Amino acid sequence: MENKEACTAAAPKEQESHGTGDLISRLPDDILGAIITLLPTKDGGRTQGLSRRWRHLWRTAPLNLEVRTLHPAFFPSAVPPSAVSKIVSEHPGPARRFYFPGLRTGGGDLSSELESWFHSRALSNLRELDIRYAHESSLSSSSYRLLSSVLRSASTLCVVSISYIDFPDQIAPSMSFPLLKQLSLLDLSISESVFHGLLSGCHALESLFVSEVRAAGCLRVSSSTIRSIVLQGNPHESTELVVEDAPHLERILSLGTHKRACQLYIRIMRAPKLEILGPFIPDFSKLHVFQLPTGLSPVSLENSMHTIKILSVGSCNSQLNAVLNVLRWFPCLEKLYVIFYFSYEMRKNIEPRYDPLHPIECLQSHFKEVVLQGYSGLEGEVDFARFFVLNAEVENKASRDIQFEFRHHNLWPDDHLNKHIHDLSLSNPFRQP
């Protein structure tokens, strides 16, 4: 009797969802479906209990599936691997997003389950894929190979992030991603030919993030659509990026160069729209930038880069000479960001010296703004500020109207870049709000 009364009492609440008080339920199905697909997995499924109006919508809305094996209590919106088979069998698809960090931690090897999931109808037309074969806190390993079924939705994928895995050579010939715009390859092993083949199959790629990749050979980029490359070097071996032909490339960013004992080689063959570079340290025993006409000539006073307008460099507070010599390579530079790293100190025997008899061209023509990040008022940092106030000129006029602005930012510059790696709406990725 109590159950019957409970059902009777619940009926008016269900009818109220169509009344004047519930305007959301009056929206068309396609809009409600768009709302559901933006919700986490569990929350999207719970909308079926709102009313009869909502019951069929979850199965027709694109699936947003987040799977976690470690610490599920901290991620209430995610589902455990044990629930995935039931979800993909009941949901006809398509799926908007599949996110699975730590595939091989916390629950053993789940490769067979993953193979089954990706052959389901629900995951046949994915738009976003983020899969990690290990967890950040576990030991990184390249002893596992990427399953070909993971890329079964290649024709519909727009965003892909793959971490901690070997990219097998057998996958390369069949890879084609006509809609892919954002690609992240993190802490994985991939050959030069597979990397080149992967990018060749990305016909709409705009943003590429490569972090600690173990590559047999160099990372060659030839793309008519790419606009941004973010590179984080491998501390165990040198990393070489070769930009062969990138007519729309606007920026090359590097992460963590001051923390890692790694060597970066950046060879730019053709990138006529490249305007943003950095941050890197002015220690060219660790970073080498080459450019036209052959990609073999180091950037220097005689082989300067006229397209660069925004530059970020890391330095300790006593490296003014090194930073000033770098500025000679970029005669059209407009904005300079100097990050003061206390943990980094360049070896004095390799620090270039500034020659005051040869003025820096950008300071006399185009230079508009210098930002000192991590500034604490130490003597060497004050010297940086004083030099630019006294020497920056535009149209042969000294900086008499210069303005000083002091801001406090909670995010360190590298952290800010990490949060906006694929955000191409930022015209200046180094500027913090």
Side-chain angles (χ1 to χ4, degrees):
M1 183 66 181
E2 292 179 358
N3 291 338
K4 184 176 180 181
E5 290 177 353
C7 292
T8 303
K13 292 182 180 180
E14 187 168 291
Q15 293 174 1
E16 287 174 5
S17 66
H18 298 281
T20 57
D22 183 7
L23 300 179
I24 294 180
S25 292
R26 295 183 171 215
L27 295 172
D29 283 7
D30 56 345
I31 295 180
L32 294 178
I35 294 173
I36 293 174
T37 193
L38 294 176
L39 297 174
T41 310
K42 286 184 179 179
D43 296 337
R46 288 172 181 149
T47 59
Q48 298 176 92
L50 293 176
S51 70
R52 278 195 294 263
R53 173 76 177 87
W54 290 79
R55 285 179 185 172
H56 72 286
L57 294 174
W58 177 77
R59 287 180 171 83
T60 59
L63 185 63
N64 181 5
L65 187 55
E66 179 178 338
V67 186
R68 289 187 181 268
T69 57
L70 294 178
H71 312 299
F74 293 101
F75 305 98
S77 61
V79 299
S82 58
V84 177
S85 295
K86 186 175 187 296
I87 292 174
V88 297
S89 64
E90 293 183 356
H91 197 289
R96 181 181 71 86
R97 173 176 173 264
F98 181 82
Y99 175 54
F100 195 178
L103 175 59
R104 297 184 181 274
T105 58
D109 188 353
L110 297 171
S111 295
S112 59
E113 288 87 345
L114 186 70
E115 186 84 21
S116 173
W117 301 339
F118 275 94
H119 278 93
S120 68
R121 179 183 174 186
L123 299 184
S124 60
N125 292 295
L126 270 175
R127 282 181 268 173
E128 299 180 24
L129 172 66
D130 188 337
I131 186 166
R132 306 175 189 180
Y133 275 67
H135 193 266
E136 289 92 335
S137 60
S138 65
L139 181 63
S140 175
S141 173
S142 60
S143 59
Y144 300 108
R145 290 187 176 274
L146 180 69
L147 300 174
S148 58
S149 58
V150 171
L151 302 178
R152 183 168 171 255
S153 301
S155 62
T156 59
L157 284 170
C158 298
V159 177
V160 171
S161 179
I162 300 175
S163 313
Y164 307 104
I165 192 64
D166 272 349
F167 235 103
D169 294 343
Q170 295 80 5
I171 292 183
S174 60
M175 288 188 295
S176 179
F177 302 86
L179 304 179
L180 186 62
K181 291 190 174 183
Q182 297 179 8
L183 175 62
S184 299
L185 302 175
L186 316 176
D187 202 349
L188 51 77
S189 178
I190 188 170
S191 69
E192 178 180 346
S193 60
V194 173
F195 180 83
H196 184 72
L198 174 61
L199 263 60
S200 297
C202 300
H203 308 299
L205 186 64
E206 293 184 346
S207 180
L208 172 66
F209 177 33
V210 178
S211 175
E212 296 192 37
V213 167
R214 297 172 295 279
C218 59
L219 304 174
R220 298 184 176 275
V221 176
S222 182
S223 169
S224 61
T225 59
I226 197 165
R227 296 172 54 196
S228 172
I229 298 176
V230 181
L231 183 65
Q232 186 162 345
N234 189 333
H236 306 294
E237 60 186 57
S238 63
T239 301
E240 182 175 1
L241 171 69
V242 179
V243 181
E244 294 182 331
D245 186 16
H248 292 96
L249 181 64
E250 301 168 1
R251 64 192 193 187
I252 297 179
L253 309 180
S254 61
L255 295 178
T257 54
H258 69 291
K259 299 178 181 178
R260 302 164 184 269
C262 58
Q263 287 196 348
L264 296 179
Y265 293 85
I266 301 176
R267 303 184 185 275
I268 303 170
M269 309 291 286
R270 183 174 182 267
K273 293 186 178 181
L274 182 62
E275 294 187 350
I276 304 173
L277 187 64
F280 59 77
I281 55 177
D283 182 347
F284 295 98
S285 67
K286 295 181 180 179
L287 185 139
H288 309 264
V289 180
F290 304 82
Q291 70 152 358
L292 291 170
T294 64
L296 301 177
S297 303
V299 173
S300 62
L301 181 60
E302 295 75 22
N303 189 29
S304 56
M305 297 184 68
H306 288 75
T307 62
I308 300 298
K309 295 182 179 179
I310 303 176
L311 175 69
S312 175
V313 296
S315 173
C316 73
N317 58 33
S318 61
Q319 291 177 318
L320 175 61
N321 288 329
V323 172
L324 296 181
N325 276 280
V326 169
L327 296 187
R328 297 184 184 281
W329 307 349
F330 309 103
C332 297
L333 190 68
E334 297 179 1
K335 298 180 181 180
L336 172 67
Y337 290 76
V338 180
I339 308 170
F340 292 118
Y341 294 122
F342 293 99
S343 60
Y344 171 73
E345 185 78 31
M346 190 195 301
R347 292 176 307 204
K348 295 299 181 181
N349 63 324
I350 62 170
E351 180 180 349
R353 305 299 299 174
Y354 169 65
D355 185 357
L357 297 179
H358 297 85
I360 299 172
E361 184 176 347
C362 68
L363 297 182
Q364 297 181 314
S365 55
H366 302 281
F367 201 74
K368 298 178 181 178
E369 180 179 349
V370 59
V371 178
L372 306 180
Q373 298 175 305
Y375 181 87
S376 58
L378 297 178
E379 181 180 357
E381 298 169 356
V382 173
D383 289 341
F384 266 81
R386 180 184 295 113
F387 176 89
F388 288 106
V389 170
L390 297 177
N391 292 276
E393 300 178 2
V394 177
E395 297 178 359
N396 297 319
K397 295 180 180 180
S399 304
R400 297 176 180 176
D401 298 326
I402 190 170
Q403 295 182 355
F404 294 88
E405 183 175 345
F406 294 87
R407 294 185 182 183
H408 173 73
H409 295 294
N410 294 324
L411 282 180
W412 192 246
D414 280 1
D415 298 328
H416 172 73
L417 286 179
N418 269 310
K419 289 187 64 176
H420 301 280
I421 282 177
H422 291 294
D423 189 355
L424 299 181
S425 66
L426 298 178
S427 59
N428 183 353
F430 307 130
R431 180 185 294 277
Q432 297 190 39

